[in-house]
Amino acid sequence: KETNTSTTEITPPISTSASTSPSTPLCIKEECNWSMWYDVSYPGSGYDDGDFETIQNIESHGYKVCDNRKAVECRAVRFPNTPYPLLEQHITCNREEGLICYNKDQLPPICYNYKLRFKCCKNITAPCEYTTAPHTTTEKAKTTPIISTTLSTTSTELSTTPHLQTKHKTTTESTRRPQTEYIQTRTTTQSIIHTTTEIKPTPPSAPTTTPS
């Protein structure tokens, strides 16, 4: 199924004629569409043969190829949904020449049957279309700086040295004189106890003779 796409490019307004209302200026637009698929050649079996979908060959078959070609698309007829680079065949596919495939450049030496189409563009004059872009206000988020306040708490350590108040208690001791009497008495008694009295007998005295 062929799909035609249209691309429009807007150029600055041109001067209007007298019959055109000044309120509707005209612009030059580029309009692009894909052409039909061209397949005017079938690959031969010779070594120097191939598939030649060239612009000259297409026009020799009665087709008019556009002059303002912006793009080209080449596909194998057998694989219409596969981009040709994936087929691993060495072909030429460009806007200037068209498509050229030689059997001698392939392995095995036979080209697929190809087709191609062009993206054709032309300039047209049409009323200008102004697209009003939505006004997007980008508001920068207000960033409120977070001030990290570190409360420096000075911990004052009160070194409390206890004040020792030394009260000297003066104790008056009355020195009692020892009772020496008892001690002396006891000592005397002990002396008496331990004193041994030795009594020696007195030899008898000779009788005294008194002369008569």
Side-chain angles (χ1 to χ4, degrees):
K1 183 179 178 180
E2 297 183 3
T3 304
N4 293 329
T5 59
S6 176
T7 304
T8 302
E9 294 183 3
I10 300 176
T11 57
I14 60 174
S15 59
T16 59
S17 61
S19 61
T20 305
S21 174
S23 60
T24 57
L26 297 179
C27 294
I28 296 177
K29 300 179 181 180
E30 186 180 56
E31 186 178 67
C32 298
N33 294 284
W34 283 99
S35 69
M36 60 176 289
W37 287 97
Y38 299 110
D39 181 15
V40 297
S41 173
Y42 193 84
S45 58
Y47 185 75
D48 291 329
D49 290 337
D51 192 15
F52 307 102
E53 305 292 342
T54 62
I55 294 174
Q56 182 180 1
N57 199 14
I58 292 171
E59 290 185 339
S60 66
H61 281 75
Y63 296 100
K64 174 61 178 174
V65 180
C66 63
D67 295 328
N68 189 16
R69 299 179 292 272
K70 290 297 182 77
V72 63
E73 186 176 6
C74 299
R75 295 292 175 92
V77 175
R78 186 178 177 183
F79 306 103
N81 298 321
T82 304
Y84 78 87
L86 299 179
L87 301 177
E88 298 182 352
Q89 286 203 334
H90 301 284
I91 68 173
T92 298
C93 178
N94 56 44
R95 296 177 300 170
E96 291 76 21
E97 300 174 90
L99 183 142
I100 300 174
C101 178
Y102 286 99
N103 290 338
K104 61 184 178 181
D105 295 334
Q106 318 308 325
L107 187 67
I110 186 70
C111 289
Y112 291 115
N113 182 32
Y114 286 95
K115 62 180 180 178
L116 82 163
R117 65 176 181 172
F118 300 99
K119 186 177 183 180
C120 301
C121 299
K122 60 182 179 179
N123 294 329
I124 61 172
T125 303
C128 297
E129 295 179 1
Y130 297 98
T131 303
T132 304
H135 181 68
T136 304
T137 303
T138 304
E139 183 177 354
K140 293 184 179 180
K142 295 181 179 180
T143 305
T144 303
I146 299 175
I147 301 174
S148 177
T149 305
T150 303
L151 295 177
S152 177
T153 304
T154 304
S155 177
T156 305
E157 183 176 353
L158 296 177
S159 177
T160 306
T161 304
H163 180 69
L164 297 179
Q165 183 176 0
T166 304
K167 293 183 180 182
H168 297 279
K169 182 177 181 182
T170 305
T171 303
T172 306
E173 294 183 0
S174 59
T175 305
R176 298 178 61 186
R177 296 182 62 184
Q179 297 178 0
T180 57
E181 181 180 356
Y182 174 76
I183 295 175
Q184 290 176 358
T185 304
R186 189 174 181 179
T187 303
T188 304
T189 304
Q190 291 292 334
S191 298
I192 293 172
I193 292 173
H194 291 284
T195 303
T196 303
T197 305
E198 183 178 355
I199 302 173
K200 293 181 180 182
T202 303
S205 60
T208 302
T209 303
T210 304
S212 43

